[in-house]
Amino acid sequence: MKQGYTDPQKAALKDLADASTSADASAKKALCADKPDLSTTPGRMAFAAKMAETRLAGLKAAEPKLQAFYDSLDAKQKKAFDTGGRIGIFDWWGKK
């Protein structure tokens, strides 16, 4: 985990990572349970819809953990998180 996190932040980040991993596993299971019929346009469209629904379910499952982690950050950490770590001279990622 990144340096500079407090213990509660580390726990919240672990919860987020675990939720994301679980959502990914659930998505793979749901999408791979049956072989999709990609030989027809309706089959491809149905599979695309299933993929979108599965992704949305994963986002909904991980969102509370993301919010809990985000709420635990201070203002500087939130700014770095919101900008993908692009503040200062890469100081968020430890690449000074």
Side-chain angles (χ1 to χ4, degrees), residues 28-96:
K28 286 178 186 175
K29 185 176 180 181
L31 293 172
C32 297
D34 298 315
K35 184 176 180 179
D37 177 10
L38 302 178
S39 66
T40 66
T41 299
R44 290 189 297 274
M45 184 171 260
F47 185 67
K50 186 175 182 179
M51 285 178 51
E53 291 165 1
T54 301
R55 180 70 177 135
L56 180 59
L59 290 170
K60 286 181 177 183
E63 192 278 333
K65 302 298 183 178
L66 172 64
Q67 190 64 55
F69 172 67
Y70 189 80
D71 289 345
S72 76
L73 301 176
D74 63 31
K76 183 178 178 183
Q77 290 170 320
K78 284 180 181 178
K79 183 177 179 182
F81 191 79
D82 290 340
T83 60
R86 295 180 305 273
I87 63 171
I89 307 296
F90 300 106
D91 59 344
W92 178 251
W93 300 114
K95 297 179 182 176
K96 290 184 177 180

